[in-house]
Amino acid sequence: MYKFDVQHIRLGISACLLGGKVRFDGGHKRSVYCSNELARYFQFVPVCPEMAIGLGAPRPSIRQVQFAEQIRIQNVKGELDVTDELQRYCQQKVATLDFLSGYILCAKSPTCGMERVTVYKAGTNNGSKSGVGVLAAALQQQWPQLPIEEEGRLNDLHIRENFFTRVYAYHDWQMLQQSGVSRHKLTDFHARYKYLLLAHCPKLYRELGPLLADASLPEAAVAERYFVTFMAALRHQASRNNHTSALQHIQGYFKKSLSKQQKAELSQAIMDYRNGLKPLLVPLTLINHYLQEFPSPYISRQVYLNPHPQELKLRYAY
């Protein structure tokens, strides 16, 4: 079973979320969850584009303004335009962040907002929540598979679990790349993620096997296509029905080992989960218990059973 190294994984984060007094009013938006909980498991890389281009704090607030042909980043009065400086910095900075395994952004910010950033009509205070922050857009363009989330959305337990599942999977892929990708390693990687992929998106899981078996494609092309589809599958939130299917597949590996009573106990635990009577941790705990008694190397290596450290308490939502 995979062992997680504390603070081995590096996450980008909006500097204000760690308590940095970098906001336009000289304040911060410190996140207790990020600062107190996540800091024990990740090494944060704080970034504030507005400070980086020399705006200082406090400073005039800036916003996205829609002109006929483009969106500009200006202060409220319009005499300060930092569009070019911000875009240049964000593109250059993001290009150096290939070591990150995820990014947590501050919502609504004209530089960091992942979505629903207010874009004002030029010369008015009328706006629509249709924008994307300059840094967020650069991240999505440069590293399209990188897990990115806004801090506030992490209050949703399903979004939180999905985000960190992708962070740990992304990091696992980075480790594979560093060791040198081969078809054998790709096949082994895919085998370890079988049931996690089934829990998230069975359709895309079924596309990955034939891709790995396609001998007509160069190894590098297979790896690239695999990773794109792999991350797309994990972006789907795991459903109760898909979790049930994954659990039942795993259950099949114990059919020759468990007693009649143990089989009934595991089946009941899975059905109780499917019917919403018990949390996902109940059948998972039972499976892990049976693995201690009846070892199965193939099942023990399944990332599904241990996609992130238990101490993060991410599976409490299911």
Side-chain angles (χ1 to χ4, degrees):
M1 187 174 292
Y2 184 77
K3 300 298 183 182
F4 300 102
D5 293 326
V6 175
Q7 292 190 326
H8 186 59
I9 297 179
R10 289 174 285 185
L11 298 181
I13 190 169
S14 296
C16 59
L17 296 176
L18 293 183
K21 296 182 179 180
V22 298
R23 288 179 56 78
F24 74 94
D25 58 0
H28 60 78
K29 294 195 71 175
R30 181 178 180 272
S31 163
V32 173
Y33 178 62
C34 292
S35 299
N36 293 359
E37 297 294 326
L38 297 182
R40 292 183 289 171
Y41 299 94
F42 302 99
Q43 179 182 340
F44 283 124
V45 179
V47 178
C48 178
E50 295 177 30
M51 290 290 285
I53 65 170
L55 290 182
R59 59 181 176 271
S61 63
I62 56 175
R63 61 184 185 175
Q64 296 193 5
V65 182
Q66 178 72 62
F67 290 87
E69 298 296 327
Q70 62 179 167
I71 293 176
R72 305 293 296 181
I73 314 299
Q74 302 179 337
N75 67 345
V76 175
K77 294 182 180 180
E79 78 269 17
L80 175 65
D81 189 306
V82 294
T83 309
D84 296 337
E85 293 93 333
L86 268 179
Q87 290 180 340
R88 186 181 308 113
Y89 169 79
C90 289
Q91 290 169 1
Q92 292 174 348
K93 182 65 176 178
V94 163
T96 70
L97 300 179
D98 58 317
F99 58 89
L100 295 182
S101 300
Y103 211 110
I104 300 176
L105 293 163
C106 178
K108 301 180 182 179
S109 164
T111 55
C112 294
M114 186 182 76
E115 61 181 16
R116 295 178 59 78
V117 173
T118 301
V119 179
Y120 292 88
K121 184 178 180 181
T124 76
N125 283 322
N126 299 323
S128 62
K129 296 183 182 300
S130 58
V132 176
V134 180
L135 178 65
L139 284 167
Q140 291 168 354
Q141 181 178 13
Q142 179 72 31
W143 311 112
Q145 312 312 324
L146 182 72
I148 300 173
E149 195 51 82
E150 288 183 341
E151 184 272 339
R153 282 168 47 90
L154 295 179
N155 291 320
D156 183 306
L157 296 182
H158 289 91
I159 291 176
R160 181 188 298 182
E161 197 274 342
N162 180 268
F163 173 67
F164 287 108
T165 293
R166 289 184 288 126
V167 165
Y168 279 94
Y170 192 96
H171 178 71
D172 201 2
W173 179 263
Q174 289 174 310
M175 295 299 98
L176 173 62
Q177 286 187 308
Q178 289 183 18
S179 70
V181 177
S182 67
R183 287 187 181 271
H184 172 74
K185 289 181 180 179
L186 280 173
T187 301
D188 181 71
F189 182 91
H190 182 62
R192 291 193 297 110
Y193 277 91
K194 174 179 179 177
Y195 295 113
L196 187 65
L197 289 166
L198 280 173
H200 282 260
C201 187
K203 177 180 180 296
L204 291 180
Y205 165 75
R206 288 191 289 270
E207 294 180 11
L208 289 171
L211 173 61
L212 292 177
D214 190 345
S216 68
L217 291 174
E219 189 175 90
V222 171
E224 181 179 358
R225 294 186 189 183
Y226 179 88
F227 185 53
V228 170
T229 306
F230 173 79
M231 293 304 297
L234 294 184
R235 279 193 289 273
H236 290 263
Q237 287 194 13
S239 68
R240 188 174 294 273
N241 283 342
N242 287 343
H243 269 306
T244 299
S245 176
L247 291 167
Q248 289 174 331
H249 275 84
I250 292 173
Q251 181 185 24
Y253 281 84
F254 292 102
K255 62 183 179 182
K256 294 182 179 180
S257 303
L258 301 184
S259 67
K260 183 177 180 180
Q261 181 179 352
Q262 289 171 324
K263 290 178 183 178
E265 182 182 25
L266 181 54
S267 292
Q268 189 62 53
I270 294 173
M271 286 300 100
D272 284 348
Y273 163 71
R274 181 180 185 179
N275 295 326
L277 300 176
K278 291 181 180 178
L280 179 62
L281 288 175
V282 172
L284 285 176
T285 300
L286 198 53
I287 286 171
N288 281 312
H289 169 72
Y290 288 147
L291 275 174
Q292 296 295 317
E293 189 173 354
F294 309 106
S296 169
Y298 180 74
I299 297 300
S300 295
R301 296 178 68 244
Q302 287 300 313
V303 176
Y304 176 75
L305 299 177
N306 188 42
H308 29 61
Q310 293 182 3
E311 293 81 1
L312 286 173
K313 304 174 184 177
L314 295 173
R315 275 184 157 167
Y316 286 18
Y318 292 93

